[in-house]
């Protein structure tokens, strides 16, 4: 079974530029998550999708971050314009998303490491 | 709302020895799950072990086992016969409604 795929793996941009990350979850997983992990910290949830609907985006800085999952499968996360403090690893995860049990387990992609100069 | 505390920012252990990572949490949920995730250096986060809170029996996965004390809201991870590949950041995560709550983690180093 293929895991969660993310691209690119690394990205270096200058502040005020735009950047986009892509995630393809495990086939059949209804729930998709984007996390931001700053160096030395645990991941922070940015947004959670259930199929193509947003379940939770309370910690997404909506003035500069946006995310979509138009067909309920893959997803993109965009930052426009980027700030220095956006330097972090952006993790995508997915889960089956049905009612409890093993469906609660999240599977993570390798992450995209972003450096904003 | 859920919170998690991992009181040991860093730990080290000799190869082949046993180590226990501690975790306490707080939750207002009745139905929840508990997870330990591992994040090796520059590699992706993977699930180590999971525990359903409604089960009294402690979960075990090969060399990894948990000590789940529901009343005390404690969920420690024991690693037996530590291996060099166990070197990683370990996160204890209470989860419910398909959400995880990450703490600051414990950096475990296994020394040869």
């Amino acid at each position: 079974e293929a895991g969660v795929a993310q691209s690119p793996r690394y990205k270096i941009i200058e502040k005020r530029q735009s950047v986009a990350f892509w995630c393809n979850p495990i086939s059949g997983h209804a729930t998709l998550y984007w996390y931001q992990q700053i160096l030395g910290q645990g991941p922070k949830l940015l947004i959670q999708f259930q199929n193509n609907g947003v379940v939770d985006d309370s910690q997404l800085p909506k003035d500069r971050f946006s995310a979509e999952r138009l067909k309920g499968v893959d997803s993109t996360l965009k930052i426009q314009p980027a700030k220095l403090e956006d330097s972090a690893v952006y993790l995508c995860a997915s889960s089956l998303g049905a009612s409890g049990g093993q469906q609660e387990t999240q599977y993570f992609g390798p992450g995209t490491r972003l450096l904003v100069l | 709302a859920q919170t998690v505390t991992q009181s040991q920012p860093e730990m080290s252990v000799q190869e082949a020895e046993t180590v226990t990572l501690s975790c306490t949490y707080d939750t207002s949920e009745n139905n929840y799950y508990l997870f330990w995730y591992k994040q090796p250096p520059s590699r992706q986060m993977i699930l180590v072990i999971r525990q359903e809170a409604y089960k009294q029996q402690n979960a075990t996965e090969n060399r990894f086992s948990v000590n789940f004390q529901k009343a005390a809201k404690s969920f420690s991870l024991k690693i037996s016969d530590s291996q060099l590949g166990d070197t990683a950041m370990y996160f204890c995560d209470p989860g419910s409604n398909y959400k995880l709550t990450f703490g600051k983690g414990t950096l475990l180093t296994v020394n040869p």
Side-chain angles (χ1 to χ4, degrees), chain A residues 2-20:
Chain A
V4 177
Q6 289 188 249
S7 67
R9 293 295 308 275
Y10 304 93
K11 190 74 177 179
I12 301 174
I13 62 172
E14 295 189 349
K15 60 183 180 183
R16 291 189 290 273
Q17 285 187 326
S18 301
V19 65

Side-chain angles (χ1 to χ4, degrees), chain A residues 33 37 98 101 105-106 108, chain B residues 33 37 39 44 50 98-99:
Chain A
Y33 311 79
Q37 186 176 21
T105 299
Q106 294 186 23
F108 287 79
Chain B
Y33 302 84
Y37 279 89
Q39 190 173 39
Q44 69 193 75
R50 55 173 280 143
Y98 320 112
K99 286 187 175 58

Side-chain angles (χ1 to χ4, degrees), chain A:
Chain A
E1 180 182 76
V4 177
Q6 289 188 249
S7 67
R9 293 295 308 275
Y10 304 93
K11 190 74 177 179
I12 301 174
I13 62 172
E14 295 189 349
K15 60 183 180 183
R16 291 189 290 273
Q17 285 187 326
S18 301
V19 65
F21 312 128
W22 175 82
C23 172
N24 191 28
I26 293 173
S27 177
H29 280 197
T31 308
L32 185 147
Y33 311 79
W34 283 103
Y35 291 89
Q36 180 192 59
Q37 186 176 21
I38 293 173
L39 186 65
Q41 300 181 17
K44 180 182 83 171
L45 179 68
L46 293 176
I47 190 167
Q48 176 186 352
F49 292 95
Q50 179 79 13
N51 296 309
N52 60 350
V54 175
V55 174
D56 184 355
D57 62 357
S58 57
Q59 298 194 90
L60 187 73
K62 299 181 184 62
D63 57 334
R64 298 184 301 106
F65 285 66
S66 65
E68 60 183 14
R69 193 185 184 200
L70 292 175
K71 296 183 179 179
V73 181
D74 56 349
S75 175
T76 56
L77 175 70
K78 296 179 181 178
I79 308 175
Q80 180 180 7
K83 293 185 176 181
L84 297 177
E85 58 261 37
D86 298 331
S87 294
V89 176
Y90 291 84
L91 299 170
C92 180
S94 70
S95 68
L96 276 170
S99 53
Q102 293 290 339
Q103 289 82 349
E104 293 274 0
T105 299
Q106 294 186 23
Y107 298 87
F108 287 79
T112 296
R113 190 175 300 273
L114 173 67
L115 178 60
V116 182
L117 301 176

Side-chain angles (χ1 to χ4, degrees), chain B residues 55-74:
Chain B
K55 290 187 177 179
Q56 292 186 342
Q57 185 174 5
N58 289 323
T60 299
E61 286 287 344
N62 300 315
R63 299 183 294 107
F64 300 89
S65 61
V66 300
N67 182 5
F68 176 45
Q69 304 288 332
K70 190 172 183 178
K73 295 183 178 176
S74 170

